[in-house]
mmCIF file of all heavy atoms in Angstrom:
data_model
loop_
_atom_site.group_PDB
_atom_site.id
_atom_site.type_symbol
_atom_site.label_atom_id
_atom_site.label_comp_id
_atom_site.label_asym_id
_atom_site.label_seq_id
_atom_site.Cartn_x
_atom_site.Cartn_y
_atom_site.Cartn_z
ATOM 1 N N PHE M 49 0.805 -1.208 0.013
ATOM 2 C CA PHE M 49 0.002 0.018 0.028
ATOM 3 C C PHE M 49 0.903 1.254 0.003
ATOM 4 O O PHE M 49 1.732 1.403 0.871
ATOM 5 C CB PHE M 49 -0.874 0.035 1.247
ATOM 6 C CG PHE M 49 -2.213 -0.686 1.069
ATOM 7 C CD1 PHE M 49 -2.367 -1.744 0.301
ATOM 8 C CD2 PHE M 49 -3.314 -0.139 1.724
ATOM 9 C CE1 PHE M 49 -3.547 -2.393 0.167
ATOM 10 C CE2 PHE M 49 -4.577 -0.748 1.608
ATOM 11 C CZ PHE M 49 -4.698 -1.896 0.780
ATOM 12 N N SER M 50 0.663 2.101 -0.988
ATOM 13 C CA SER M 50 1.263 3.465 -0.871
ATOM 14 C C SER M 50 0.470 4.229 0.171
ATOM 15 O O SER M 50 -0.636 3.959 0.498
ATOM 16 C CB SER M 50 1.189 4.148 -2.240
ATOM 17 O OG SER M 50 -0.152 4.511 -2.584
ATOM 18 N N ARG M 51 1.068 5.341 0.590
ATOM 19 C CA ARG M 51 0.429 6.148 1.719
ATOM 20 C C ARG M 51 -0.314 7.352 1.224
ATOM 21 O O ARG M 51 -0.834 8.179 1.931
ATOM 22 C CB ARG M 51 1.460 6.538 2.706
ATOM 23 C CG ARG M 51 2.170 5.448 3.477
ATOM 24 C CD ARG M 51 3.060 5.915 4.540
ATOM 25 N NE ARG M 51 3.693 4.834 5.270
ATOM 26 C CZ ARG M 51 4.524 4.973 6.291
ATOM 27 N NH1 ARG M 51 4.890 6.208 6.644
ATOM 28 N NH2 ARG M 51 5.083 3.952 6.888
ATOM 29 N N GLY M 52 -0.470 7.425 -0.183
ATOM 30 C CA GLY M 52 -1.117 8.542 -0.774
ATOM 31 C C GLY M 52 -2.594 8.832 -0.279
ATOM 32 O O GLY M 52 -2.920 9.891 0.142
ATOM 33 N N GLY M 53 -3.351 7.698 -0.245
ATOM 34 C CA GLY M 53 -4.715 7.859 0.208
ATOM 35 C C GLY M 53 -4.839 8.239 1.672
ATOM 36 O O GLY M 53 -5.564 9.098 2.045
ATOM 37 N N ALA M 54 -3.997 7.616 2.495
ATOM 38 C CA ALA M 54 -4.022 7.910 3.931
ATOM 39 C C ALA M 54 -3.523 9.332 4.186
ATOM 40 O O ALA M 54 -4.034 10.100 5.008
ATOM 41 C CB ALA M 54 -3.128 6.972 4.727
ATOM 42 N N THR M 55 -2.505 9.721 3.402
ATOM 43 C CA THR M 55 -1.977 11.185 3.576
ATOM 44 C C THR M 55 -3.021 12.175 3.190
ATOM 45 O O THR M 55 -3.208 13.179 3.867
ATOM 46 C CB THR M 55 -0.740 11.348 2.643
ATOM 47 O OG1 THR M 55 0.283 10.389 3.011
ATOM 48 C CG2 THR M 55 -0.161 12.762 2.776
ATOM 49 N N LEU M 56 -3.767 11.933 2.113
ATOM 50 C CA LEU M 56 -4.855 12.822 1.698
ATOM 51 C C LEU M 56 -5.933 12.856 2.707
ATOM 52 O O LEU M 56 -6.440 13.942 3.106
ATOM 53 C CB LEU M 56 -5.421 12.393 0.304
ATOM 54 C CG LEU M 56 -6.697 13.136 -0.154
ATOM 55 C CD1 LEU M 56 -6.408 14.644 -0.243
ATOM 56 C CD2 LEU M 56 -7.200 12.576 -1.468
ATOM 57 N N ALA M 57 -6.366 11.733 3.235
ATOM 58 C CA ALA M 57 -7.435 11.724 4.266
ATOM 59 C C ALA M 57 -7.017 12.470 5.497
ATOM 60 O O ALA M 57 -7.847 13.260 6.067
ATOM 61 C CB ALA M 57 -7.738 10.216 4.588
ATOM 62 N N CYS M 58 -5.784 12.307 5.931
ATOM 63 C CA CYS M 58 -5.307 13.008 7.147
ATOM 64 C C CYS M 58 -5.221 14.498 6.847
ATOM 65 O O CYS M 58 -5.586 15.341 7.732
ATOM 66 C CB CYS M 58 -3.982 12.489 7.548
ATOM 67 S SG CYS M 58 -4.055 10.827 8.327
ATOM 68 N N ALA M 59 -4.666 14.875 5.724
ATOM 69 C CA ALA M 59 -4.515 16.313 5.390
ATOM 70 C C ALA M 59 -5.901 16.981 5.262
ATOM 71 O O ALA M 59 -6.081 18.176 5.664
ATOM 72 C CB ALA M 59 -3.757 16.430 4.037
ATOM 73 N N ALA M 60 -6.920 16.273 4.706
ATOM 74 C CA ALA M 60 -8.246 16.824 4.500
ATOM 75 C C ALA M 60 -9.158 16.685 5.690
ATOM 76 O O ALA M 60 -10.252 17.252 5.812
ATOM 77 C CB ALA M 60 -8.939 16.260 3.288
ATOM 78 N N GLY M 61 -8.723 15.830 6.675
ATOM 79 C CA GLY M 61 -9.543 15.594 7.867
ATOM 80 C C GLY M 61 -10.815 14.793 7.550
ATOM 81 O O GLY M 61 -11.833 15.048 8.194
ATOM 82 N N VAL M 62 -10.716 13.857 6.577
ATOM 83 C CA VAL M 62 -11.880 13.073 6.242
ATOM 84 C C VAL M 62 -11.545 11.566 6.448
ATOM 85 O O VAL M 62 -10.367 11.213 6.378
ATOM 86 C CB VAL M 62 -12.325 13.316 4.798
ATOM 87 C CG1 VAL M 62 -12.747 14.766 4.597
ATOM 88 C CG2 VAL M 62 -11.261 12.873 3.760
ATOM 89 N N PRO M 63 -12.573 10.759 6.599
ATOM 90 C CA PRO M 63 -12.282 9.316 6.734
ATOM 91 C C PRO M 63 -11.931 8.620 5.451
ATOM 92 O O PRO M 63 -12.118 9.203 4.389
ATOM 93 C CB PRO M 63 -13.547 8.736 7.401
ATOM 94 C CG PRO M 63 -14.607 9.683 6.910
ATOM 95 C CD PRO M 63 -13.987 11.054 6.795
ATOM 96 N N VAL M 64 -11.506 7.356 5.537
ATOM 97 C CA VAL M 64 -11.252 6.548 4.436
ATOM 98 C C VAL M 64 -12.365 5.517 4.425
ATOM 99 O O VAL M 64 -12.707 4.923 5.466
ATOM 100 C CB VAL M 64 -9.848 5.800 4.504
ATOM 101 C CG1 VAL M 64 -9.768 4.703 3.482
ATOM 102 C CG2 VAL M 64 -8.771 6.814 4.342
ATOM 103 N N LEU M 65 -12.942 5.240 3.211
ATOM 104 C CA LEU M 65 -13.937 4.226 3.049
ATOM 105 C C LEU M 65 -13.253 3.036 2.374
ATOM 106 O O LEU M 65 -12.896 3.111 1.211
ATOM 107 C CB LEU M 65 -15.124 4.720 2.183
ATOM 108 C CG LEU M 65 -16.274 3.744 1.996
ATOM 109 C CD1 LEU M 65 -17.045 3.587 3.323
ATOM 110 C CD2 LEU M 65 -17.227 4.252 0.874
ATOM 111 N N PRO M 66 -13.058 1.949 3.117
ATOM 112 C CA PRO M 66 -12.272 0.805 2.515
ATOM 113 C C PRO M 66 -13.218 -0.175 1.766
ATOM 114 O O PRO M 66 -14.328 -0.412 2.222
ATOM 115 C CB PRO M 66 -11.693 0.105 3.739
ATOM 116 C CG PRO M 66 -12.700 0.351 4.829
ATOM 117 C CD PRO M 66 -13.273 1.724 4.571
ATOM 118 N N ILE M 67 -12.749 -0.639 0.639
ATOM 119 C CA ILE M 67 -13.562 -1.569 -0.154
ATOM 120 C C ILE M 67 -12.732 -2.758 -0.618
ATOM 121 O O ILE M 67 -11.638 -2.589 -1.159
ATOM 122 C CB ILE M 67 -14.164 -0.796 -1.391
ATOM 123 C CG1 ILE M 67 -15.028 0.334 -0.942
ATOM 124 C CG2 ILE M 67 -14.857 -1.814 -2.299
ATOM 125 C CD1 ILE M 67 -15.717 1.095 -2.077
ATOM 126 N N ALA M 68 -13.271 -3.928 -0.384
ATOM 127 C CA ALA M 68 -12.616 -5.165 -0.878
ATOM 128 C C ALA M 68 -13.526 -5.870 -1.837
ATOM 129 O O ALA M 68 -14.736 -5.669 -1.851
ATOM 130 C CB ALA M 68 -12.321 -6.099 0.367
ATOM 131 N N HIS M 69 -12.976 -6.738 -2.641
ATOM 132 C CA HIS M 69 -13.805 -7.511 -3.645
ATOM 133 C C HIS M 69 -12.991 -8.646 -4.169
ATOM 134 O O HIS M 69 -11.758 -8.677 -3.980
ATOM 135 C CB HIS M 69 -14.257 -6.553 -4.712
ATOM 136 C CG HIS M 69 -13.129 -5.924 -5.460
ATOM 137 N ND1 HIS M 69 -12.500 -6.586 -6.514
ATOM 138 C CD2 HIS M 69 -12.479 -4.743 -5.340
ATOM 139 C CE1 HIS M 69 -11.527 -5.813 -6.993
ATOM 140 N NE2 HIS M 69 -11.527 -4.677 -6.293
ATOM 141 N N ASN M 70 -13.622 -9.512 -4.965
ATOM 142 C CA ASN M 70 -13.005 -10.638 -5.618
ATOM 143 C C ASN M 70 -13.173 -10.599 -7.116
ATOM 144 O O ASN M 70 -13.456 -11.652 -7.694
ATOM 145 C CB ASN M 70 -13.400 -11.900 -4.937
ATOM 146 C CG ASN M 70 -14.873 -12.162 -5.055
ATOM 147 O OD1 ASN M 70 -15.657 -11.281 -5.465
ATOM 148 N ND2 ASN M 70 -15.338 -13.396 -4.741
ATOM 149 N N ALA M 71 -13.085 -9.456 -7.735
ATOM 150 C CA ALA M 71 -13.342 -9.253 -9.116
ATOM 151 C C ALA M 71 -12.585 -10.201 -10.005
ATOM 152 O O ALA M 71 -13.001 -10.681 -11.091
ATOM 153 C CB ALA M 71 -13.165 -7.849 -9.529
ATOM 154 N N ALA M 72 -11.311 -10.531 -9.572
ATOM 155 C CA ALA M 72 -10.455 -11.331 -10.421
ATOM 156 C C ALA M 72 -10.984 -12.786 -10.603
ATOM 157 O O ALA M 72 -10.483 -13.479 -11.489
ATOM 158 C CB ALA M 72 -9.020 -11.385 -9.866
ATOM 159 N N THR M 73 -11.920 -13.250 -9.777
ATOM 160 C CA THR M 73 -12.453 -14.586 -10.016
ATOM 161 C C THR M 73 -13.288 -14.607 -11.313
ATOM 162 O O THR M 73 -13.416 -15.680 -11.917
ATOM 163 C CB THR M 73 -13.397 -14.948 -8.842
ATOM 164 O OG1 THR M 73 -14.426 -14.001 -8.646
ATOM 165 C CG2 THR M 73 -12.602 -15.038 -7.487
ATOM 166 N N CYS M 74 -13.828 -13.452 -11.710
ATOM 167 C CA CYS M 74 -14.599 -13.429 -12.938
ATOM 168 C C CYS M 74 -13.866 -12.623 -14.070
ATOM 169 O O CYS M 74 -13.997 -12.879 -15.207
ATOM 170 C CB CYS M 74 -15.983 -12.794 -12.706
ATOM 171 S SG CYS M 74 -17.073 -13.706 -11.683
ATOM 172 N N TRP M 75 -13.086 -11.681 -13.637
ATOM 173 C CA TRP M 75 -12.391 -10.727 -14.527
ATOM 174 C C TRP M 75 -10.902 -10.827 -14.207
ATOM 175 O O TRP M 75 -10.327 -9.965 -13.561
ATOM 176 C CB TRP M 75 -12.904 -9.312 -14.341
ATOM 177 C CG TRP M 75 -12.614 -8.364 -15.425
ATOM 178 C CD1 TRP M 75 -11.353 -8.004 -15.842
ATOM 179 C CD2 TRP M 75 -13.509 -7.506 -16.076
ATOM 180 N NE1 TRP M 75 -11.383 -7.034 -16.807
ATOM 181 C CE2 TRP M 75 -12.731 -6.683 -16.943
ATOM 182 C CE3 TRP M 75 -14.879 -7.302 -16.031
ATOM 183 C CZ2 TRP M 75 -13.359 -5.722 -17.753
ATOM 184 C CZ3 TRP M 75 -15.465 -6.330 -16.866
ATOM 185 C CH2 TRP M 75 -14.692 -5.537 -17.718
ATOM 186 N N PRO M 76 -10.212 -11.939 -14.584
ATOM 187 C CA PRO M 76 -8.788 -12.152 -14.135
ATOM 188 C C PRO M 76 -7.871 -11.000 -14.544
ATOM 189 O O PRO M 76 -8.079 -10.315 -15.537
ATOM 190 C CB PRO M 76 -8.469 -13.452 -14.877
ATOM 191 C CG PRO M 76 -9.754 -14.096 -15.193
ATOM 192 C CD PRO M 76 -10.651 -12.990 -15.493
ATOM 193 N N THR M 77 -6.835 -10.921 -13.744
ATOM 194 C CA THR M 77 -5.792 -9.908 -14.023
ATOM 195 C C THR M 77 -4.926 -10.235 -15.286
ATOM 196 O O THR M 77 -4.589 -11.435 -15.447
ATOM 197 C CB THR M 77 -4.852 -9.845 -12.806
ATOM 198 O OG1 THR M 77 -5.616 -9.740 -11.600
ATOM 199 C CG2 THR M 77 -3.866 -8.652 -12.884
ATOM 200 N N HIS M 78 -4.707 -9.262 -16.086
ATOM 201 C CA HIS M 78 -3.802 -9.336 -17.229
ATOM 202 C C HIS M 78 -4.218 -10.448 -18.218
ATOM 203 O O HIS M 78 -3.327 -11.106 -18.811
ATOM 204 C CB HIS M 78 -2.345 -9.630 -16.737
ATOM 205 C CG HIS M 78 -1.887 -8.628 -15.729
ATOM 206 N ND1 HIS M 78 -1.912 -7.266 -15.977
ATOM 207 C CD2 HIS M 78 -1.387 -8.735 -14.536
ATOM 208 C CE1 HIS M 78 -1.436 -6.610 -14.966
ATOM 209 N NE2 HIS M 78 -1.072 -7.455 -14.030
ATOM 210 N N THR M 79 -5.507 -10.666 -18.431
ATOM 211 C CA THR M 79 -5.987 -11.546 -19.446
ATOM 212 C C THR M 79 -7.312 -11.054 -19.955
ATOM 213 O O THR M 79 -8.000 -10.307 -19.261
ATOM 214 C CB THR M 79 -6.135 -12.973 -18.933
ATOM 215 O OG1 THR M 79 -6.530 -13.769 -20.069
ATOM 216 C CG2 THR M 79 -7.071 -13.040 -17.834
ATOM 217 N N TRP M 80 -7.662 -11.361 -21.202
ATOM 218 C CA TRP M 80 -8.890 -10.835 -21.819
ATOM 219 C C TRP M 80 -10.088 -11.702 -21.419
ATOM 220 O O TRP M 80 -11.236 -11.361 -21.518
ATOM 221 C CB TRP M 80 -8.760 -10.862 -23.287
ATOM 222 C CG TRP M 80 -8.605 -12.202 -23.936
ATOM 223 C CD1 TRP M 80 -7.453 -12.911 -24.006
ATOM 224 C CD2 TRP M 80 -9.608 -13.025 -24.489
ATOM 225 N NE1 TRP M 80 -7.686 -14.139 -24.576
ATOM 226 C CE2 TRP M 80 -9.050 -14.222 -24.877
ATOM 227 C CE3 TRP M 80 -11.002 -12.833 -24.655
ATOM 228 C CZ2 TRP M 80 -9.756 -15.229 -25.445
ATOM 229 C CZ3 TRP M 80 -11.722 -13.918 -25.216
ATOM 230 C CH2 TRP M 80 -11.066 -15.093 -25.636
#
């Protein structure tokens, strides 16, 4: 994880909304 998102959230004083998913099970990485 880069810290860009956390840095922006801290600088702006807003929370982070975390999102997880398993998209690669249907839409695999680096393949058509």
Side-chain angles (χ1 to χ4, degrees):
F49 270 35
S50 71
R51 295 186 181 180
T55 301
L56 172 58
C58 288
V62 300
V64 168
L65 185 69
I67 297 180
H69 60 84
N70 59 350
T73 58
C74 295
W75 194 306
T77 309
H78 306 307
T79 180
W80 64 278

